[in-house]
Amino acid sequence: MMNQIFNLTFALVAALMSSPVAVRAYTSDFDKGYDQGQKKAMNIWNYQYGGKCTHISDFEYKVNDYIKSHYWWYSSDSSFTKSFDKGGQAGMKNVLQQYQTQCHNDHHDNDNVNVDTGMCSGLGKDAASEIAEKYAEDHCPNYSRPSTIIFQKKYKEECFEIGLDDCKGAINDKVYLYCGRYIDDYSVLEGLKFKCGYKVSGYIDDSLH
């Protein structure tokens, strides 16, 4: 009877040790932080963004924001805190880079034809405007052309908002295209995104001349 109890106990312990939910023995504070950082990033990706690549830019922002609020260490912190926070940063950034690479590859694997949807949409709206204007000339007694100045101002405002968002969202993918890697330094990435404002504005001004 005692042998049976021992065997059952041993089998249970062995099963728990081999189980994926077994408690991990960390070799350092950095490893503990790294593991927790990875788990947190994966939870954000899966449960907050549904694991969808359309949210990869939002995920990048969320990871960097979480690092700044939870894994940001200071010179006055203890060695444990510094090591743990460094591990947490590295773990979250590792998961971020994995999903960035995966989404980048998936995008290009499925991108049989690189269609500029924004341009195509603009062409459709231009066609609609031309058709409507022709109809108004023939059928509307109070027909008048919209003021060019008002049109350009409204166009520039709306186009700028769209272009600015797209520029910021595409920066890291374009860096990957030219560098072969993503930027994981939050401040550097934000500096590049800051340049989108005047660059997009300049492109819109050129398109109106």
Side-chain angles (χ1 to χ4, degrees), residues 150-162:
I150 294 176
F151 169 79
Q152 287 188 350
K153 184 175 184 296
K154 184 177 180 182
Y155 172 86
K156 184 172 181 178
E157 290 174 352
E158 293 183 1
C159 193
F160 177 77
E161 292 300 322
I162 296 170

Side-chain angles (χ1 to χ4, degrees), residues 152-183:
Q152 287 188 350
K153 184 175 184 296
K154 184 177 180 182
Y155 172 86
K156 184 172 181 178
E157 290 174 352
E158 293 183 1
C159 193
F160 177 77
E161 292 300 322
I162 296 170
L164 182 64
D165 287 343
D166 286 351
C167 177
K168 289 182 176 180
I171 281 290
N172 224 0
D173 277 341
K174 295 304 180 184
V175 170
Y176 183 94
L177 183 65
Y178 292 109
C179 289
R181 62 178 177 81
Y182 290 103
I183 294 175

